[in-house]
Amino acid sequence: MLGRHPMRKHEEFLRKFVRYRQKMGKKLGDITPLLDDTNAFRKAIKLMSKTFKNDKIDKVVGIEARGFIFGCAVSMELNCGFVPIRKENKLIFPVFRKDFINYRGKREYMEIHKDAIKKGENVLIVDDWLETGESINAAIDLIEKTGGRIKGISVFYDCSLPETRKKKFSKYVLQAVIRSHKQP
């Protein structure tokens, strides 16, 4: 049983709605039904964490903004620290910065505090959604600049193409609660 709805699957918690991404023509998914169901959200966090329970994770890194929701919960499950990767100019101490092209095709910048991760610390990257992989690639670059060792990537929903996963993430353990190359 998942949450308070005995027959619901995780996919059912991705509310489908007809709002298309600019230029991409792809539907967006909404995670708020999952967040509204305490038991289902708890189960999702356990599934996102399970693969990494024995990896001695020192820090979970969450990517702004929904990665903060999942990342904080996963860090509690793994009993380790949480580090946010933020959009540019949100952090006040010295940062590493990385540019990337977002899912709308626009250039954005992400930042991490230079002292957020100590050299050699084991890091798990957490986000809600993986599609193009650009933001996670930028996070990988930022974590490597701090000296952290990436132990894996955990997402709630992975709709990236198999060739994207192979090309960009083949050297990492990539955990997903839901995996489909189709849009919700």
Short mmCIF file of all heavy atoms in Angstrom, two decimals, residues 30-84:
data_model
loop_
_atom_site.label_atom_id
_atom_site.label_comp_id
_atom_site.label_asym_id
_atom_site.label_seq_id
_atom_site.Cartn_x
_atom_site.Cartn_y
_atom_site.Cartn_z
N ASP A 30 3.38 17.43 -11.91
CA ASP A 30 3.24 18.15 -10.66
C ASP A 30 3.39 17.16 -9.51
O ASP A 30 2.65 16.18 -9.43
CB ASP A 30 1.86 18.81 -10.63
CG ASP A 30 1.61 19.62 -9.38
OD1 ASP A 30 2.51 19.72 -8.52
OD2 ASP A 30 0.50 20.14 -9.25
N ILE A 31 4.35 17.41 -8.63
CA ILE A 31 4.62 16.48 -7.52
C ILE A 31 3.80 16.77 -6.27
O ILE A 31 3.88 16.02 -5.31
CB ILE A 31 6.12 16.50 -7.14
CG1 ILE A 31 6.53 17.90 -6.67
CG2 ILE A 31 6.97 16.00 -8.29
CD1 ILE A 31 7.85 17.95 -5.93
N THR A 32 2.99 17.83 -6.26
CA THR A 32 2.28 18.19 -5.02
C THR A 32 1.34 17.11 -4.50
O THR A 32 1.19 17.00 -3.28
CB THR A 32 1.55 19.54 -5.15
OG1 THR A 32 0.64 19.49 -6.25
CG2 THR A 32 2.52 20.68 -5.33
N PRO A 33 0.69 16.27 -5.33
CA PRO A 33 -0.12 15.20 -4.73
C PRO A 33 0.73 14.24 -3.89
O PRO A 33 0.26 13.76 -2.86
CB PRO A 33 -0.73 14.50 -5.94
CG PRO A 33 -0.75 15.54 -7.00
CD PRO A 33 0.50 16.35 -6.78
N LEU A 34 1.95 13.98 -4.30
CA LEU A 34 2.84 13.13 -3.52
C LEU A 34 3.16 13.79 -2.18
O LEU A 34 3.13 13.15 -1.14
CB LEU A 34 4.13 12.86 -4.28
CG LEU A 34 5.20 12.09 -3.50
CD1 LEU A 34 4.79 10.64 -3.32
CD2 LEU A 34 6.54 12.19 -4.18
N LEU A 35 3.46 15.08 -2.21
CA LEU A 35 3.82 15.80 -0.99
C LEU A 35 2.65 15.90 -0.03
O LEU A 35 2.85 16.01 1.18
CB LEU A 35 4.33 17.21 -1.34
CG LEU A 35 5.54 17.27 -2.27
CD1 LEU A 35 5.88 18.71 -2.58
CD2 LEU A 35 6.72 16.54 -1.69
N ASP A 36 1.45 15.85 -0.56
CA ASP A 36 0.25 15.95 0.26
C ASP A 36 -0.05 14.66 1.03
O ASP A 36 -0.80 14.67 2.00
CB ASP A 36 -0.95 16.30 -0.63
CG ASP A 36 -2.22 16.51 0.16
OD1 ASP A 36 -2.18 17.26 1.17
OD2 ASP A 36 -3.25 15.93 -0.22
N ASP A 37 0.53 13.55 0.61
CA ASP A 37 0.26 12.26 1.24
C ASP A 37 1.49 11.84 2.03
O ASP A 37 2.49 11.38 1.48
CB ASP A 37 -0.08 11.24 0.16
CG ASP A 37 -0.56 9.92 0.74
OD1 ASP A 37 0.07 9.41 1.69
OD2 ASP A 37 -1.56 9.39 0.21
N THR A 38 1.45 11.99 3.35
CA THR A 38 2.59 11.73 4.21
C THR A 38 3.18 10.34 4.01
O THR A 38 4.39 10.17 3.88
CB THR A 38 2.19 11.88 5.70
OG1 THR A 38 1.61 13.17 5.87
CG2 THR A 38 3.37 11.73 6.61
N ASN A 39 2.33 9.32 3.97
CA ASN A 39 2.82 7.95 3.83
C ASN A 39 3.46 7.71 2.47
O ASN A 39 4.49 7.03 2.37
CB ASN A 39 1.70 6.94 4.10
CG ASN A 39 1.26 6.98 5.54
OD1 ASN A 39 2.07 7.19 6.45
ND2 ASN A 39 -0.03 6.80 5.77
N ALA A 40 2.86 8.25 1.42
CA ALA A 40 3.43 8.07 0.08
C ALA A 40 4.76 8.79 -0.04
O ALA A 40 5.72 8.27 -0.61
CB ALA A 40 2.45 8.58 -0.97
N PHE A 41 4.84 10.00 0.51
CA PHE A 41 6.09 10.76 0.46
C PHE A 41 7.17 10.04 1.25
O PHE A 41 8.31 9.90 0.80
CB PHE A 41 5.87 12.18 0.99
CG PHE A 41 7.09 13.06 0.88
CD1 PHE A 41 7.70 13.28 -0.34
CD2 PHE A 41 7.61 13.68 2.00
CE1 PHE A 41 8.83 14.09 -0.44
CE2 PHE A 41 8.73 14.49 1.92
CZ PHE A 41 9.34 14.69 0.69
N ARG A 42 6.82 9.54 2.42
CA ARG A 42 7.79 8.79 3.24
C ARG A 42 8.31 7.57 2.46
O ARG A 42 9.49 7.29 2.44
CB ARG A 42 7.14 8.34 4.55
CG ARG A 42 8.10 7.61 5.48
CD ARG A 42 7.44 7.21 6.80
NE ARG A 42 7.08 8.38 7.58
CZ ARG A 42 5.83 8.73 7.89
NH1 ARG A 42 4.81 7.97 7.54
NH2 ARG A 42 5.59 9.81 8.59
N LYS A 43 7.41 6.86 1.80
CA LYS A 43 7.80 5.69 1.00
C LYS A 43 8.72 6.11 -0.15
O LYS A 43 9.73 5.44 -0.41
CB LYS A 43 6.55 4.99 0.46
CG LYS A 43 6.81 3.91 -0.52
CD LYS A 43 6.77 2.56 0.11
CE LYS A 43 6.87 1.52 -1.00
NZ LYS A 43 7.09 0.22 -0.55
N ALA A 44 8.41 7.20 -0.81
CA ALA A 44 9.26 7.69 -1.91
C ALA A 44 10.66 8.02 -1.39
O ALA A 44 11.66 7.67 -2.03
CB ALA A 44 8.63 8.91 -2.57
N ILE A 45 10.75 8.66 -0.23
CA ILE A 45 12.05 9.02 0.34
C ILE A 45 12.83 7.76 0.70
O ILE A 45 14.04 7.67 0.46
CB ILE A 45 11.87 9.95 1.56
CG1 ILE A 45 11.27 11.29 1.13
CG2 ILE A 45 13.19 10.14 2.30
CD1 ILE A 45 12.01 12.02 0.01
N LYS A 46 12.16 6.77 1.26
CA LYS A 46 12.84 5.51 1.59
C LYS A 46 13.37 4.84 0.32
O LYS A 46 14.49 4.33 0.31
CB LYS A 46 11.91 4.57 2.35
CG LYS A 46 11.69 5.00 3.78
CD LYS A 46 10.87 3.98 4.55
CE LYS A 46 10.67 4.40 5.99
NZ LYS A 46 11.87 4.63 6.75
N LEU A 47 12.59 4.87 -0.76
CA LEU A 47 13.03 4.28 -2.02
C LEU A 47 14.20 5.06 -2.63
O LEU A 47 15.12 4.48 -3.20
CB LEU A 47 11.87 4.21 -3.02
CG LEU A 47 10.78 3.19 -2.67
CD1 LEU A 47 9.56 3.38 -3.58
CD2 LEU A 47 11.31 1.78 -2.78
N MET A 48 14.16 6.39 -2.50
CA MET A 48 15.25 7.22 -3.03
C MET A 48 16.54 7.01 -2.25
O MET A 48 17.63 7.21 -2.77
CB MET A 48 14.85 8.70 -3.02
CG MET A 48 13.77 9.04 -4.03
SD MET A 48 13.24 10.76 -3.93
CE MET A 48 14.64 11.59 -4.70
N SER A 49 16.43 6.61 -0.98
CA SER A 49 17.59 6.46 -0.09
C SER A 49 18.15 5.05 -0.06
O SER A 49 19.34 4.85 0.21
CB SER A 49 17.19 6.85 1.34
OG SER A 49 16.63 8.13 1.38
N LYS A 50 17.29 4.07 -0.29
CA LYS A 50 17.61 2.66 -0.04
C LYS A 50 18.94 2.22 -0.68
O LYS A 50 19.76 1.57 -0.03
CB LYS A 50 16.47 1.81 -0.57
CG LYS A 50 16.63 0.33 -0.33
CD LYS A 50 15.42 -0.42 -0.86
CE LYS A 50 15.58 -1.91 -0.63
NZ LYS A 50 14.43 -2.65 -1.16
N THR A 51 19.16 2.54 -1.92
CA THR A 51 20.37 2.12 -2.64
C THR A 51 21.64 2.63 -1.98
O THR A 51 22.70 2.01 -2.11
CB THR A 51 20.29 2.61 -4.10
OG1 THR A 51 19.12 2.06 -4.69
CG2 THR A 51 21.50 2.21 -4.91
N PHE A 52 21.56 3.74 -1.26
CA PHE A 52 22.75 4.41 -0.73
C PHE A 52 22.92 4.25 0.78
O PHE A 52 23.82 4.85 1.36
CB PHE A 52 22.68 5.89 -1.12
CG PHE A 52 22.49 6.08 -2.60
CD1 PHE A 52 21.24 6.36 -3.12
CD2 PHE A 52 23.56 5.95 -3.47
CE1 PHE A 52 21.05 6.51 -4.49
CE2 PHE A 52 23.38 6.08 -4.84
CZ PHE A 52 22.13 6.36 -5.34
N LYS A 53 22.08 3.43 1.40
CA LYS A 53 22.12 3.25 2.86
C LYS A 53 23.49 2.81 3.37
O LYS A 53 23.90 3.19 4.45
CB LYS A 53 21.08 2.21 3.30
CG LYS A 53 19.69 2.77 3.45
CD LYS A 53 19.57 3.49 4.75
CE LYS A 53 18.10 3.74 5.05
NZ LYS A 53 17.92 4.62 6.17
N ASN A 54 24.21 2.00 2.62
CA ASN A 54 25.50 1.47 3.07
C ASN A 54 26.71 2.19 2.47
O ASN A 54 27.82 1.69 2.56
CB ASN A 54 25.58 -0.04 2.76
CG ASN A 54 24.52 -0.82 3.49
OD1 ASN A 54 24.25 -0.56 4.66
ND2 ASN A 54 23.88 -1.74 2.81
N ASP A 55 26.48 3.34 1.85
CA ASP A 55 27.56 4.06 1.16
C ASP A 55 28.24 5.13 2.01
O ASP A 55 29.07 5.87 1.52
CB ASP A 55 27.04 4.71 -0.13
CG ASP A 55 26.86 3.69 -1.24
OD1 ASP A 55 27.45 2.60 -1.16
OD2 ASP A 55 26.11 4.00 -2.18
N LYS A 56 27.88 5.24 3.28
CA LYS A 56 28.48 6.24 4.16
C LYS A 56 28.45 7.64 3.53
O LYS A 56 29.47 8.29 3.37
CB LYS A 56 29.90 5.84 4.55
CG LYS A 56 29.92 4.55 5.34
CD LYS A 56 31.31 4.18 5.78
CE LYS A 56 31.20 2.97 6.67
NZ LYS A 56 32.06 1.89 6.38
N ILE A 57 27.25 8.07 3.17
CA ILE A 57 27.06 9.39 2.57
C ILE A 57 27.29 10.44 3.66
O ILE A 57 26.73 10.36 4.74
CB ILE A 57 25.64 9.52 1.98
CG1 ILE A 57 25.37 8.46 0.92
CG2 ILE A 57 25.39 10.93 1.44
CD1 ILE A 57 26.25 8.53 -0.31
N ASP A 58 28.14 11.44 3.34
CA ASP A 58 28.41 12.54 4.28
C ASP A 58 27.48 13.72 4.04
O ASP A 58 27.07 14.40 4.98
CB ASP A 58 29.86 13.01 4.13
CG ASP A 58 30.86 11.93 4.46
OD1 ASP A 58 30.81 11.43 5.61
OD2 ASP A 58 31.67 11.57 3.59
N LYS A 59 27.15 13.96 2.76
CA LYS A 59 26.29 15.10 2.41
C LYS A 59 25.34 14.71 1.29
O LYS A 59 25.73 14.02 0.35
CB LYS A 59 27.12 16.30 1.93
CG LYS A 59 28.16 16.82 2.92
CD LYS A 59 27.53 17.72 3.95
CE LYS A 59 28.47 18.15 5.05
NZ LYS A 59 29.58 18.97 4.69
N VAL A 60 24.12 15.18 1.41
CA VAL A 60 23.17 15.12 0.31
C VAL A 60 23.11 16.52 -0.28
O VAL A 60 22.97 17.50 0.46
CB VAL A 60 21.76 14.68 0.79
CG1 VAL A 60 20.72 14.91 -0.30
CG2 VAL A 60 21.78 13.23 1.21
N VAL A 61 23.22 16.62 -1.58
CA VAL A 61 23.14 17.90 -2.28
C VAL A 61 21.81 17.95 -3.00
O VAL A 61 21.49 17.04 -3.79
CB VAL A 61 24.30 18.06 -3.28
CG1 VAL A 61 24.07 19.26 -4.18
CG2 VAL A 61 25.62 18.21 -2.54
N GLY A 62 21.01 18.99 -2.73
CA GLY A 62 19.73 19.19 -3.40
C GLY A 62 19.81 20.36 -4.34
O GLY A 62 20.40 21.39 -4.02
N ILE A 63 19.23 20.20 -5.52
CA ILE A 63 19.25 21.25 -6.54
C ILE A 63 17.98 22.08 -6.43
O ILE A 63 16.87 21.54 -6.36
CB ILE A 63 19.38 20.63 -7.94
CG1 ILE A 63 20.67 19.81 -8.03
CG2 ILE A 63 19.33 21.69 -9.03
CD1 ILE A 63 20.82 18.98 -9.28
N GLU A 64 18.14 23.40 -6.43
CA GLU A 64 17.01 24.32 -6.29
C GLU A 64 15.97 24.06 -7.36
O GLU A 64 16.31 23.87 -8.51
CB GLU A 64 17.52 25.77 -6.41
CG GLU A 64 16.47 26.77 -6.06
CD GLU A 64 17.04 28.18 -5.84
OE1 GLU A 64 18.23 28.35 -5.61
OE2 GLU A 64 16.24 29.10 -5.91
N ALA A 65 14.72 24.03 -7.02
CA ALA A 65 14.11 24.25 -5.73
C ALA A 65 13.52 22.95 -5.18
O ALA A 65 13.63 22.66 -4.00
CB ALA A 65 13.02 25.30 -5.82
N ARG A 66 12.89 22.15 -6.04
CA ARG A 66 12.25 20.94 -5.51
C ARG A 66 13.26 19.91 -5.01
O ARG A 66 12.92 19.06 -4.19
CB ARG A 66 11.30 20.34 -6.55
CG ARG A 66 10.06 21.23 -6.76
CD ARG A 66 9.13 20.64 -7.80
NE ARG A 66 9.78 20.41 -9.06
CZ ARG A 66 9.70 21.21 -10.12
NH1 ARG A 66 8.98 22.31 -10.05
NH2 ARG A 66 10.33 20.93 -11.23
N GLY A 67 14.49 20.00 -5.47
CA GLY A 67 15.55 19.14 -4.94
C GLY A 67 15.78 19.39 -3.46
O GLY A 67 16.28 18.51 -2.74
N PHE A 68 15.44 20.60 -2.98
CA PHE A 68 15.55 20.89 -1.55
C PHE A 68 14.55 20.04 -0.75
O PHE A 68 14.87 19.52 0.31
CB PHE A 68 15.27 22.35 -1.25
CG PHE A 68 16.27 23.33 -1.81
CD1 PHE A 68 16.04 24.68 -1.68
CD2 PHE A 68 17.41 22.93 -2.47
CE1 PHE A 68 16.94 25.61 -2.18
CE2 PHE A 68 18.32 23.84 -2.99
CZ PHE A 68 18.08 25.19 -2.84
N ILE A 69 13.34 19.91 -1.28
CA ILE A 69 12.29 19.15 -0.59
C ILE A 69 12.71 17.69 -0.45
O ILE A 69 12.73 17.13 0.65
CB ILE A 69 10.95 19.24 -1.35
CG1 ILE A 69 10.46 20.70 -1.40
CG2 ILE A 69 9.90 18.32 -0.72
CD1 ILE A 69 9.32 20.93 -2.38
N PHE A 70 13.08 17.09 -1.58
CA PHE A 70 13.49 15.68 -1.56
C PHE A 70 14.84 15.51 -0.86
O PHE A 70 15.04 14.57 -0.11
CB PHE A 70 13.55 15.12 -2.98
CG PHE A 70 12.18 14.92 -3.59
CD1 PHE A 70 11.62 15.88 -4.41
CD2 PHE A 70 11.47 13.76 -3.36
CE1 PHE A 70 10.37 15.70 -4.98
CE2 PHE A 70 10.21 13.57 -3.91
CZ PHE A 70 9.66 14.54 -4.72
N GLY A 71 15.76 16.42 -1.12
CA GLY A 71 17.11 16.31 -0.57
C GLY A 71 17.16 16.37 0.94
O GLY A 71 17.87 15.59 1.59
N CYS A 72 16.43 17.31 1.53
CA CYS A 72 16.40 17.40 3.00
C CYS A 72 15.84 16.12 3.61
O CYS A 72 16.38 15.61 4.60
CB CYS A 72 15.58 18.60 3.45
SG CYS A 72 16.43 20.17 3.26
N ALA A 73 14.78 15.61 3.02
CA ALA A 73 14.17 14.39 3.56
C ALA A 73 15.12 13.19 3.40
O ALA A 73 15.25 12.38 4.32
CB ALA A 73 12.83 14.11 2.86
N VAL A 74 15.80 13.09 2.26
CA VAL A 74 16.76 12.00 2.05
C VAL A 74 17.92 12.13 3.02
O VAL A 74 18.39 11.13 3.59
CB VAL A 74 17.24 11.95 0.58
CG1 VAL A 74 18.44 11.03 0.42
CG2 VAL A 74 16.11 11.51 -0.34
N SER A 75 18.39 13.35 3.27
CA SER A 75 19.50 13.53 4.22
C SER A 75 19.10 13.09 5.62
O SER A 75 19.90 12.52 6.35
CB SER A 75 20.03 14.97 4.22
OG SER A 75 19.15 15.85 4.88
N MET A 76 17.85 13.32 6.00
CA MET A 76 17.36 12.84 7.30
C MET A 76 17.34 11.32 7.32
O MET A 76 17.74 10.70 8.30
CB MET A 76 15.96 13.39 7.58
CG MET A 76 15.87 14.90 7.63
SD MET A 76 16.41 15.59 9.17
CE MET A 76 15.10 15.09 10.24
N GLU A 77 16.89 10.71 6.24
CA GLU A 77 16.83 9.25 6.15
C GLU A 77 18.23 8.63 6.21
O GLU A 77 18.41 7.56 6.79
CB GLU A 77 16.11 8.84 4.84
CG GLU A 77 15.93 7.37 4.65
CD GLU A 77 14.87 6.75 5.55
OE1 GLU A 77 14.01 7.48 6.10
OE2 GLU A 77 14.93 5.52 5.71
N LEU A 78 19.21 9.31 5.61
CA LEU A 78 20.59 8.80 5.59
C LEU A 78 21.43 9.32 6.76
O LEU A 78 22.61 9.00 6.86
CB LEU A 78 21.26 9.16 4.26
CG LEU A 78 20.65 8.51 3.01
CD1 LEU A 78 21.34 9.01 1.76
CD2 LEU A 78 20.70 7.00 3.11
N ASN A 79 20.83 10.16 7.60
CA ASN A 79 21.51 10.70 8.77
C ASN A 79 22.81 11.42 8.41
O ASN A 79 23.88 11.12 8.92
CB ASN A 79 21.77 9.59 9.79
CG ASN A 79 22.07 10.15 11.17
OD1 ASN A 79 21.58 11.21 11.54
ND2 ASN A 79 22.91 9.45 11.92
N CYS A 80 22.67 12.37 7.51
CA CYS A 80 23.85 13.14 7.07
C CYS A 80 23.45 14.59 6.81
O CYS A 80 22.28 14.95 6.91
CB CYS A 80 24.45 12.51 5.82
SG CYS A 80 23.37 12.56 4.38
N GLY A 81 24.43 15.40 6.47
CA GLY A 81 24.18 16.81 6.22
C GLY A 81 23.52 17.07 4.88
O GLY A 81 23.51 16.21 4.00
N PHE A 82 22.96 18.28 4.73
CA PHE A 82 22.33 18.70 3.49
C PHE A 82 23.02 19.96 2.98
O PHE A 82 23.31 20.88 3.75
CB PHE A 82 20.83 19.00 3.70
CG PHE A 82 20.18 19.56 2.47
CD1 PHE A 82 19.83 18.73 1.42
CD2 PHE A 82 19.96 20.92 2.34
CE1 PHE A 82 19.25 19.24 0.27
CE2 PHE A 82 19.38 21.45 1.20
CZ PHE A 82 19.02 20.61 0.16
N VAL A 83 23.27 20.01 1.67
CA VAL A 83 23.89 21.17 1.03
C VAL A 83 23.00 21.61 -0.13
O VAL A 83 22.71 20.80 -1.02
CB VAL A 83 25.30 20.83 0.50
CG1 VAL A 83 25.88 21.99 -0.28
CG2 VAL A 83 26.22 20.42 1.64
N PRO A 84 22.59 22.88 -0.15
CA PRO A 84 21.80 23.36 -1.29
C PRO A 84 22.69 23.85 -2.43
O PRO A 84 23.72 24.48 -2.20
CB PRO A 84 21.01 24.53 -0.70
CG PRO A 84 21.92 25.07 0.37
CD PRO A 84 22.67 23.88 0.92
#
